[in-house]
Amino acid sequence: MNNIITACVILGMMVACMPERESFPLPEDTPQEPVGEQLFEVLKNPASGYNAIAIDPLNPDLPQDFKERWDQAVQNVHEWVYSGSSGRMLHSMYIRFGQRDTVDVVALYHLRASSNKVLARWTYTMALDDNGVGRLEFVRQNGNGNILGPIISPLLAYFLEEHDFRVRWVDETISVHPTEGTRLGGFFRTDNPSSFVFGTLTNVPAIDNDNWPLPSTPSLDKFFKIENPVDAPYYTSVLINPDDPAQSQGFRDLWTAVKTDLQNSSGRQLHQMLFVFDPEFARLRILVYYYTATGSRTSAFYRYVPALHYDDRIRLLFNSEDGNAALIRDSRLMDNFLEAHDFVISETQSAPSGGGKYLTFTSTTTPSISFFGELGNRAANCCAFWPE
């Protein structure tokens, strides 16, 4: 017989007792269906931890067929004028699998007139046979998809929407990612084995501007990953003191010339620089600290899209700048150096001081010119932090 515990309450002058409800153990979690071996079974099963293929256009193993389509789409977007403005920058794409044979193709791009990140979304059904073969059947699109679709037709209408594809793993004859454990999958045309697209498997919790997949370059984990993270998994800032005597002579000479000319012409005095990446490493702000002519502390923003290559190179693609940045911009430092050169990232072995972790950026155009900075997680805010 079950033991029933009673609870009593005073109701006026009477004491009323009633049995408490018996407690029963919660049912055990319903076991997940085992994850299948085929790629589409993995992408459709929440237990796998993957639901998307992130296409990084900087992956050197992508086939020439796709690279040409991508380059044409990038050029089309760059030249595209919509509502009187131009200068959009196509960034990357991903293909996300949902429930009931739903597949979303998402294009990620930037507006050059601001620091905004934007996405275009096309939703399809894709019924796959036992071999993972099927065709994308259009269902709907968001507003950005409606206006962007014709602009990137080399990728969309004349590629992904036009052919039957086999969704399968990428074998080692095509590509092996340098980072151990990184899994690759792709869409392979059934009529042309040399025409396909692939990327790293990832998880996109929701299709919005807060969930851009990380670049798949191994440089991200190699240089920016925090070994024992407490909160953020990656360092997102690099603090640069151009006046440090340990900087390369060429970089110090460049900085000194710009600094001297600015002070002579306007009374403003350059101080230090801070590189700040967003959490997805899709945007970069260069914060330049300086003193005004009256000695006040302030800063300027230069906004970029960082192109992180697989061979540890980075290129800064100009996006926009604030009003202060226009006041202190010097073409020798910005246009002809930071924005014109590719830089090879390396870890600085002999930290100048402080015991932190330092990265060096070496120009591929002029290897004698390099600069280093200390990794951290500083915010892009002039008022919260001022480097001494």
Side-chain angles (χ1 to χ4, degrees), residues 38 46 59-60 88 111 137 140 151 171 202 227 237 249 276 284 296 324 328 342 358-359 368 372 384:
Q38 297 200 60
N59 189 319
R88 292 162 182 82
L111 301 181
E137 302 292 343
R140 61 183 176 273
I151 311 302
D171 61 53
T202 187
E227 291 184 9
S237 70
Q249 188 64 49
V276 181
L284 167 69
S296 298
N324 283 352
I328 65 169
D342 283 9
Y358 290 76
L359 294 183
S368 62
F372 64 81

Side-chain angles (χ1 to χ4, degrees), residues 285-304:
R285 286 189 177 190
I286 295 183
L287 183 66
V288 179
Y289 299 95
Y290 69 97
Y291 295 95
T292 67
T294 60
S296 298
R297 294 175 173 180
T298 189
S299 65
F301 283 126
Y302 299 92
R303 304 180 184 95
Y304 297 90

Side-chain angles (χ1 to χ4, degrees), residues 37 115 127 206 213 221 295 300 305 369:
E37 294 183 356
S115 61
D221 285 351
V305 175
I369 301 180

